[in-house]
Amino acid sequence: MGFDGEVWRVRSGGEAVGEILIDDVDFPWLGGRFTAGPAYGAVQELFGRELALAERDDEDHWKEWETVHDEIRGRVSLSSPDGPVPEFLLHIEGDRAWFRWSDEPFADEE
């Protein structure tokens, strides 16, 4: 697939959170080198909590993970080289980021 070498952008409002230079394609996941932007400090702790919760191995953490994930989604956007994507799951750890996305909004599950 043609994703290798693309730059995806993470923003918070009008501020740059960072850029992801794609170097790992395992569709539907893309990963790459993350370069933090000026707005990363405001959301860095959220990404740390999200990843820690995603890696936990107990039944009771998923509701808390969903809350943190929803907060991330409310504060940042992800854009491909073609423009913003409506849905995504993004992890950032140090200088690495990996994510999956959808061109269509996810259906709300009740």
Side-chain angles (χ1 to χ4, degrees), residues 96-110:
R96 298 295 301 170
W98 59 104
F99 62 93
R100 58 189 301 170
W101 84 101
S102 174
D103 288 331
E104 299 294 326
F106 295 149
D108 287 335
E109 294 181 26
E110 308 250 344

Side-chain angles (χ1 to χ4, degrees), residues 3 6-10 18-22 30 34 78-81 83 85 88 99-101 103:
F3 299 106
E6 289 184 349
V7 175
W8 288 57
R9 290 176 172 75
V10 184
E19 294 183 342
I20 306 164
L21 174 62
I22 305 301
L30 299 181
F34 177 73
L78 178 66
S79 293
S80 76
V85 297
F88 60 91
F99 62 93
R100 58 189 301 170
W101 84 101
D103 288 331

Side-chain angles (χ1 to χ4, degrees), residues 30-109:
L30 299 181
R33 183 163 187 79
F34 177 73
T35 303
Y40 182 58
V43 294
Q44 182 176 8
E45 184 269 337
L46 275 175
F47 282 102
R49 277 195 309 162
E50 182 274 335
L51 191 56
L53 288 165
E55 292 175 343
R56 276 180 41 187
D57 190 21
D58 62 66
E59 295 178 20
D60 299 327
H61 73 287
W62 287 112
K63 190 153 189 82
E64 187 178 352
W65 176 88
E66 287 176 4
T67 300
V68 173
H69 173 69
D70 288 346
E71 187 173 348
I72 288 171
R73 289 278 295 118
R75 293 184 61 185
V76 304
S77 62
L78 178 66
S79 293
S80 76
D82 296 326
V85 297
E87 295 288 348
F88 60 91
L89 173 58
L90 171 64
H91 305 290
I92 299 174
E93 183 175 42
D95 68 349
R96 298 295 301 170
W98 59 104
F99 62 93
R100 58 189 301 170
W101 84 101
S102 174
D103 288 331
E104 299 294 326
F106 295 149
D108 287 335
E109 294 181 26

